[in-house]
Amino acid sequence: FKSSLCHLLSLSGPGNPEADTDNFVSTLGFTSSDYYSKVVENVVLSLVTELRRNEFNGFNSQQSTSCRVKSLSLHCVPLITLPDITPLLEALLCYHGDGSQEVLHSEFLEAVNDAILQKKVSLSESAVLQLWLRHLPSAEKAVLRNFESLISSQALSPKEMECLIKGSLLPQAACHPAIFRIADEIFRNALLETDGAPEVMTVMQVFTQCFVQAYQENNKQQRFPLRTYFPRNPYSLVMAFLKHPSDLSSTGLDQHLNHIVEILKATVESKCIGSCGNLFENWFLFIHFGEWADIAAEQLVVSEAESSDALLWLLAFYYNPSDENQQRSRTMGEARSLCDHLAILSRTATISVIDLQAAVTSKTNPRQPGTKHLVMHLLVSFLLFTTNGRMVAREFIAHFAATGSGIPEVSALLTCIASRVSQAGIKYEQTVKLANNLLQILKCGK
């Protein structure tokens, strides 16, 4: 702008154009910085107005308009982090024109995405979602960045993890199936590459909870059918997992868990072509909604009745989906033995950390990693949901933290369970408080 003004003033005769420009601006009653800021503001406002009206002076054809918009977006790249430019960035991201081709330069889209991820620019939610929908590589980069940040963070509380996920705007963006599929594929690859690492499963589950909440809050007229997000799974299983536990009575909860087991068993025991693929897909869906495994573990440790075969099967499948019937029966037997042992401890007047350690040691088969995870799940549930367990929870976790092994797994379990029960309100207030306290002990290593 200053160069243009210098050029205009130089036409009036000899002299120093830059000095003449400064004198001219001073005559108008502005300081140089104020004047140029005002010029920028007016130019941005003018361009935003043109974009919203889809009118560009002197450009009559759609092709000419598209070229102008693409050129404008490219010229904005060096200016992206300037606050005065933000309205123009948002107008460009929300501009689509009449053609089917992308009108914004890819360099502009990538630069805006990088600035968002680095928190160098703050845009409205609608502008960010428009960016990711029109440039899926940017959405993929955002998912990966958020996922890596969550995995690398040590022992985040459920609330902290939820805030990080919601603050990324990814659950809202995932309400569009194209972005949901990107996130889901990243989770799928991470699960396979890490052999089902607890940290990965935790991020998946909290992300899914945030996505479901965003989906339910979305305008009903703008919703895609749920079948669109989970096309490889039986619709009855998807709807069963989506049922909110707080909507069920105690009896209804038991019946619903049995219903989930019946559907999964029918898939697992199917001998039809493609059953292996179906087995993985339904296990993958189960991992999304892992709170049902938490509920099964809670029911097993608090129930005074004999351990339910259905709940034991559900947990055995959760941790060992590919087991044959004979191996799964063996795992269920070990889990039942631990549940019986924990039931005795819950009725004992006082218990010690040594008692619990003995239970874990005697019921953990080092040759079966899945059984070890199942045992730890039952143990953590015992610490959180039984009176005797809560009495020794802090001492047990402090001793566990001192050994340094298995901390990520226990942290993941505490995070998932606390995230689930926190939605139940005051009933589980003390459980959430205890879980957060135990997470802090693990984080500090003492």
Side-chain angles (χ1 to χ4, degrees), residues 44-45 47-48 51-52 69 72-95 104 108-109 111-113 115-116 120-124 126-128 130-131 134:
V44 166
L45 179 61
L47 290 170
V48 168
L51 283 165
R52 287 176 178 167
V69 173
L72 176 60
S73 68
L74 185 59
H75 279 85
C76 283
V77 170
L79 311 173
I80 281 172
T81 57
L82 297 178
D84 291 339
I85 303 296
T86 298
L88 180 55
L89 300 182
E90 297 201 347
L92 282 167
L93 290 170
C94 294
Y95 178 85
L104 301 181
F108 167 78
L109 295 169
V112 173
N113 191 56
I116 292 170
K120 292 183 178 179
V121 64
S122 178
L123 301 181
S124 66
S126 60
V128 175
Q130 284 296 323
L131 165 64
R134 68 194 304 162

Side-chain angles (χ1 to χ4, degrees), residues 134-319:
R134 68 194 304 162
H135 193 244
L136 293 179
S138 287
E140 182 176 7
K141 189 171 184 178
V143 174
L144 281 169
R145 178 73 65 88
N146 188 247
F147 181 68
E148 290 167 358
S149 173
L150 291 165
I151 291 293
S152 62
S153 300
Q154 295 295 314
L156 284 174
S157 72
K159 202 68 182 173
E160 290 169 334
M161 183 172 287
E162 187 179 317
C163 286
L164 278 174
I165 292 174
K166 287 183 176 180
S168 71
L169 299 181
L170 288 169
Q172 298 90 316
C175 288
H176 194 286
I179 295 180
F180 181 87
R181 282 192 290 271
I182 287 173
D184 223 35
E185 198 60 31
I186 288 172
F187 290 141
R188 181 191 301 269
N189 292 335
L191 265 184
L192 291 172
E193 290 172 9
T194 62
D195 197 24
E199 310 94 295
V200 175
M201 295 166 77
T202 300
V203 173
M204 273 186 65
Q205 288 164 23
V206 179
F207 182 90
T208 302
Q209 289 170 8
C210 294
F211 158 72
V212 170
Q213 184 179 345
Y215 177 85
Q216 291 172 342
E217 291 173 353
N218 204 5
N219 188 315
K220 287 186 178 181
Q221 295 179 340
Q222 298 176 346
R223 287 184 193 172
F224 291 86
L226 281 165
R227 194 185 297 274
T228 312
Y229 303 94
F230 307 102
R232 300 169 179 170
N233 305 101
Y235 188 64
S236 59
L237 184 59
V238 174
M239 296 311 295
F241 280 137
L242 280 167
K243 187 77 173 177
H244 204 285
S246 63
D247 295 336
L248 299 167
S249 64
S250 179
T251 303
L253 193 60
D254 290 336
Q255 292 173 345
H256 195 71
L257 283 164
N258 286 325
H259 177 56
I260 290 173
V261 172
E262 287 172 5
I263 301 173
L264 282 173
K265 265 191 171 182
T267 302
V268 172
E269 295 170 0
S270 171
K271 301 299 181 183
C272 63
I273 296 174
S275 60
C276 288
N278 293 336
L279 171 64
F280 175 82
E281 291 303 332
N282 290 325
W283 174 77
F284 185 56
L285 179 69
F286 189 9
I287 300 303
H288 283 80
F289 299 95
E291 61 262 31
W292 290 105
D294 293 334
I295 293 169
E298 178 187 351
Q299 295 292 97
L300 284 167
V301 299
V302 301
S303 175
E304 295 181 0
E306 184 179 347
S307 300
S308 161
D309 283 346
L311 299 188
L312 290 169
W313 186 95
L314 192 63
L315 283 175
F317 174 73
Y318 184 76
Y319 285 110

